[in-house]
């Protein structure tokens, strides 16, 4: 279970503080899927980073399956993320010099208990097949379409079999048909892996597929 309680966030910059979130709370159980919407700049990515322990809240707490990642030192926190959280970033952030297959394998290379290379390769191949890229394993990101890169990023987020999958605009740059395909894929994978899924989206069509929807408005959550 993911529990975020009374999260507030302000970014302190040389030009002063930027308040972004104020008293945001959220609970996501195993198998739950939640969509977060809101206008550009309202703090959706910031919230996702906080839920995934990539960014520390100014106040409030996050626990995932009973553990508070922000109570850990940097190395333990990185290991916690690697083990428990899959992240599909707004800009997919694939490594340009690696093939699709090696991009999916990459998170396993820093795992504290490495898996045998052959079994990782097998799982990465299976995931890329599930996202419809069986015939693109050796392509580099620059040789893939935007939707294909997005699907590689989803496969990469799943390789460590995370309890929590966080997706930031996973269909942001896609046409309607590709966006529907990625949305179907996320729904199928979420069920198959019984994950907690939190998706940030501007797309009303994508959000409509989620049983729970929130809108960030004036730094707070309102039901959407
Ligand atoms: N590192 C940072 N330092 C200072 N301000 C920041 C930083 N990161 C984000 N912000 C500000 O915080 C606010 C929220 O940013 P965030 O990226 O969370 O928005 P968003 O809802 O994801 O927007 P979009 O839909 O455009 O992706 C924005 O006003 C942004 O300018
Ligand atoms: Mg964003």
């Amino acid at each position: 279970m993911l529990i975020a309680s009374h999260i507030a966030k302000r970014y302190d910059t040389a030009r002063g503080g930027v308040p972004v979130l104020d008293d945001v709370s959220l609970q996501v159980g195993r198998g739950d899927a939640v969509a977060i919407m809101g206008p550009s700049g309202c703090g959706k990515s910031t919230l996702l980073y906080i839920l995934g322990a990539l960014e520390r809240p100014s106040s409030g707490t996050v626990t995932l399956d009973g553990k508070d990642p922000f109570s850990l030192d940097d190395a333990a926190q990185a290991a916690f993320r690697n083990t428990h959280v899959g992240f599909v970033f707004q800009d997919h952030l694939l490594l340009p010099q690696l093939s699709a297959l090696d991009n999916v394998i990459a998170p396993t290379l820093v795992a504290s208990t490495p898996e045998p290379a052959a079994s990782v390769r097998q799982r990465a191949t299976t995931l890329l097949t599930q996202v419809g890229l069986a015939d693109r394993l050796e392509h580099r990101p620059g040789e893939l379409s935007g939707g294909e890169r997005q699907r590689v990023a989803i496969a990469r987020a799943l390789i460590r079999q995370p309890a929590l999958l966080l997706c930031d605009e996973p269909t942001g740059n896609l046409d309607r048909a590709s966006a529907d395909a990625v949305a179907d894929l996320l729904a199928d994978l979420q069920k198959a892996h019984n994950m907690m899924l939190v998706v940030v989206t501007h797309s009303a069509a994508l959000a409509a597929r989620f049983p729970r929807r929130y809108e960030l408005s004036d730094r707070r959550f309102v039901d959407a």
Side-chain angles (χ1 to χ4, degrees):
M1 177 139 202
L2 171 71
I3 304 175
S5 299
H6 306 294
I7 299 295
K9 177 69 182 179
R10 61 188 286 128
Y11 287 110
D12 289 311
T13 75
R15 293 165 306 287
V18 181
V20 180
L21 301 172
D22 183 20
D23 200 17
V24 171
S25 296
L26 173 70
Q27 293 199 3
V28 185
R30 273 280 175 170
D32 279 355
V34 175
I36 297 174
M37 306 185 72
S40 177
C42 73
K44 303 178 300 296
S45 295
T46 300
L47 178 61
L48 222 52
Y49 293 152
I50 291 171
L51 297 178
L54 285 163
E55 181 80 48
R56 185 177 282 276
S58 304
S59 62
T61 56
V62 175
T63 60
L64 178 58
D65 291 338
K67 292 189 203 72
D68 171 2
F70 296 110
S71 68
L72 306 170
D73 65 33
D74 286 355
Q77 202 180 99
F80 180 87
R81 276 195 300 270
N82 184 263
T83 315
H84 295 92
V85 185
F87 216 109
V88 178
F89 292 93
Q90 194 163 6
D91 310 305
H92 53 80
L93 296 184
L94 298 175
L95 297 168
Q97 69 278 27
L98 297 187
S99 69
L101 186 64
D102 286 336
N103 264 287
V104 174
I105 289 171
T108 69
L109 302 178
V110 295
S112 44
T113 47
E115 276 181 71
S119 79
V120 168
R121 209 181 155 79
Q122 184 55 52
R123 274 196 306 113
T125 304
T126 303
L127 280 168
L128 283 167
T129 304
Q130 284 179 331
V131 300
L133 294 176
D135 56 352
R136 293 288 187 277
L137 300 182
E138 297 304 331
H139 282 234
R140 293 181 184 190
E143 300 162 341
L144 296 170
S145 76
E148 289 170 344
R149 285 196 284 266
Q150 204 64 271
R151 286 183 272 154
V152 175
I154 292 170
R156 178 184 57 183
L158 294 175
I159 189 71
R160 297 282 290 140
Q161 301 169 310
L164 173 65
L165 179 62
L166 302 170
C167 300
D168 199 349
E169 300 274 11
T171 63
N173 301 313
L174 305 182
D175 62 63
R176 183 64 193 262
S178 308
D180 282 347
V182 168
D184 287 341
L185 178 69
L186 279 176
D188 290 348
L189 292 169
Q190 192 233 347
K191 285 199 195 76
H193 298 263
N194 193 32
M195 287 181 294
M196 300 172 255
L197 174 64
V198 181
V199 172
V200 161
T201 184
H202 283 292
S203 158
L206 178 60
R209 304 171 61 125
F210 287 78
R212 279 170 63 200
R213 292 185 291 277
Y214 296 97
E215 177 122 9
L216 264 178
S217 175
D218 289 333
R219 306 198 287 276
R220 288 166 183 261
F221 257 0
V222 291
D223 282 325

